[in-house]
Amino acid sequence: MTDENKPLRRETLVAQALGWMDPAHRSLIPGIFPGTTYEREGDGSYPTGRVYTRDHNPTYDQPEQLLMALEGGRDALLFSSGMSAALAVVQALRPGDHMVAPKVMYWSFRNWLLTVAQEWGLEITFVPNGDLAALEAAVIPGKTKLLWLETPANPTWVVDDIAGWARVAKAAGAHLAVDNTVATPLLTNPLKLGADIVMHSATKYLNGHSDVLAGALITAAEDDFWARVKVNRNAGGAILGPFEAWLLLRGLRTLHLRVQRASENAMAVARHFDGKKGIRLVLYPGLDSHAGHEIAARQMSGGFGGMLSLCIEGGAEAAMSVAARLKVIKRATSLGGVESLVEHRASIEGAGTPCPEDLLRLSIGIENVSDLIADIEQALEGRNI
Ligand SMILES: *Cc1c(COP(=O)(O)O)cnc(C)c1O
């Protein structure tokens, strides 16, 4: 199928989900294996290597292999959510180990780091995003074991230099894990920039249809740290069901079309509202004016993704009134689906959030972009000021 001299391009791999065929029936679409247990030979061995569905289910194989190919990794693991994937990495650390994470990042994970992870004996330093010098200063040689990065980071889309973080990690003998949910493997490949582990909330762009909760990790090396991550999944059982794994693979097949369209739409929305009346600031890595645009242009290829934020003149109340007036764009949390969503992040994140009060986060979908722009325009006109 795949000529070794001519590796297939990623769009082809994605559309055909690696071109796997079910050997028994030659079905182009894989089966779903709901079975939880596998037969043992009379001599006690397991001929297929599969013992029990936590975590040996064959329905995981194809999506894991596809994600591994897309990120250019050596191994991949599916999880029951993005959060469980992230937790499996942090829980591979030992009490007393030190980790560094950015101040602006996915809020639920940051909250967990600030509470449970620290109570369990991890030392965690939060550094300002986009500041390599602060990162270098935060690293404690011999003690720092993990650097965690999210870029572009929720919900201001501040961009960090993955290669720079990887250099700091290498020098410290620490692992670098990158949450690549927002960029997707189509726009950024952190492993190729020196990261050790990539994490995805597959609930978002990878599945793309707002109907599956899933996470994934992809590793550059099958080292001791990765072995500990694997134990966490196998022992903890934070693995999605076979039906969800199958749905995820179906969603993945259109990843490149969805990401391309969402990126084009987001760029058009960002350009349209940049400098417009009623808008204090447009936050989108694709705009020249965005802090980190230069780095984004270097480490992202094929687009800047579908996530952007609009800061509304008039503060929190004005922003809430704009969200309330949107009709086409739905008020809901989450991101990366085919439908556009809006969220007032500060009120979701609560006290201590680094998110501006007047910020509306938009997950731009694949709709006709003129409908999206018209919807935002009519909402802005009627805002409370
Ligand atoms: C949603 C999200 C997560 C958490 O993933 P779940 O699948 O909801 O557990 C982590 N990081 C980012 C950037 C996200 O958007």
Side-chain angles (χ1 to χ4, degrees):
M1 250 184 317
T2 312
D3 177 350
E4 297 235 315
N5 300 322
K6 265 197 180 173
L8 293 173
R9 287 166 183 82
R10 291 188 311 169
E11 292 90 332
T12 309
L13 293 179
V14 167
Q16 300 192 356
L18 297 173
W20 284 17
M21 197 82 70
D22 153 37
H25 312 97
R26 306 207 125 205
S27 163
L28 296 179
I29 302 304
I32 303 174
F33 296 89
T36 54
T37 191
Y38 304 87
E39 195 190 23
R40 221 169 157 178
E41 282 293 354
D43 65 5
S45 65
Y46 286 97
T48 64
R50 298 181 198 274
V51 179
Y52 184 58
T53 196
R54 193 196 75 229
D55 50 359
H56 286 164
N57 194 297
T59 321
Y60 309 144
D61 296 357
Q62 198 169 351
E64 285 180 347
Q65 294 289 315
L66 177 55
L67 291 174
M68 204 172 97
L70 289 179
E71 289 287 14
R74 299 297 293 270
D75 196 14
L77 294 172
L78 289 182
F79 284 83
S80 54
S81 68
M83 279 295 283
S84 60
L87 264 59
V89 174
V90 177
Q91 288 172 336
L93 297 170
R94 295 179 170 84
D97 283 351
H98 176 246
M99 81 176 263
V100 185
K103 284 198 168 143
V104 177
M105 65 186 291
Y106 180 71
W107 187 245
S108 302
F109 185 43
R110 182 163 183 262
N111 268 353
W112 183 84
L113 291 174
L114 281 166
T115 54
V116 183
Q118 288 187 328
E119 285 160 21
W120 276 79
L122 287 182
E123 279 183 36
I124 309 175
T125 306
F126 293 90
V127 294
N129 301 60
D131 186 346
L132 268 181
L135 173 67
E136 276 181 307
V139 165
I140 309 167
K143 200 164 156 64
T144 305
K145 296 287 156 54
L146 179 66
L147 307 187
W148 185 276
L149 177 60
E150 178 182 324
T151 181
N154 245 299
T156 56
W157 320 114
V158 52
V159 177
D160 262 278
D161 177 2
I162 297 172
W165 276 62
R167 275 195 302 277
V168 176
K170 286 244 149 56
H175 278 73
L176 171 62
V178 178
D179 181 341
N180 199 30
T181 301
V182 167
T184 82
L186 295 189
L187 306 183
T188 306
N189 289 132
L191 300 184
K192 291 178 184 151
L193 298 167
D196 300 288
I197 292 176
V198 171
M199 172 255 161
H200 284 281
S201 167
T203 314
K204 313 296 169 55
Y205 289 100
L206 297 184
N207 180 65
H209 294 77
S210 308
D211 55 10
V212 172
L213 182 73
L217 296 176
I218 302 98
T219 186
E222 296 188 83
D223 55 10
D224 290 348
F225 189 78
W226 183 249
R228 288 170 67 82
V229 171
K230 286 178 87 159
V231 168
N232 286 341
R233 187 183 76 164
N234 176 272
I239 177 72
L240 72 174
F243 293 92
E244 285 74 18
W246 185 91
L247 264 181
L248 171 60
L249 188 68
R250 185 173 71 171
L252 268 167
R253 287 172 182 261
T254 54
L255 179 68
H256 61 285
L257 285 180
R258 289 185 286 102
V259 169
Q260 202 177 343
R261 175 64 173 249
S263 293
E264 285 164 13
N265 281 357
M267 183 64 109
V269 170
R271 287 205 172 125
H272 183 88
F273 289 102
D274 193 22
K276 274 264 153 69
K277 189 165 174 284
I279 301 288
R280 180 176 69 79
L281 191 62
V282 178
L283 296 169
Y284 185 62
L287 292 180
D288 294 346
S289 57
H290 190 74
H293 170 71
E294 233 171 83
I295 300 168
R298 210 179 331 122
Q299 77 188 9
M300 301 179 84
S301 61
F304 295 92
M307 296 304 300
L308 66 90
S309 294
L310 300 176
C311 296
I312 308 296
E313 271 173 12
E317 206 192 317
M320 288 295 262
S321 74
V322 170
R325 289 177 57 88
L326 289 168
K327 296 187 178 82
V328 179
I329 300 173
K330 303 297 185 277
R331 288 176 299 281
T333 196
S334 200
L335 56 100
V338 289
E339 65 286 305
S340 295
L341 303 178
V342 64
E343 190 171 41
H344 183 253
R345 283 302 297 178
S347 55
I348 285 283
E349 298 190 359
T353 174
C355 175
E357 285 276 317
D358 62 356
L359 180 147
L360 292 179
R361 184 182 82 176
L362 291 166
S363 173
I364 299 295
I366 65 169
E367 301 95 334
N368 182 299
V369 74
S370 300
D371 288 339
L372 302 179
I373 288 173
D375 194 33
I376 299 168
E377 274 184 336
Q378 65 78 25
L380 274 173
E381 275 161 26
R383 77 187 186 284
N384 292 350
I385 37 173

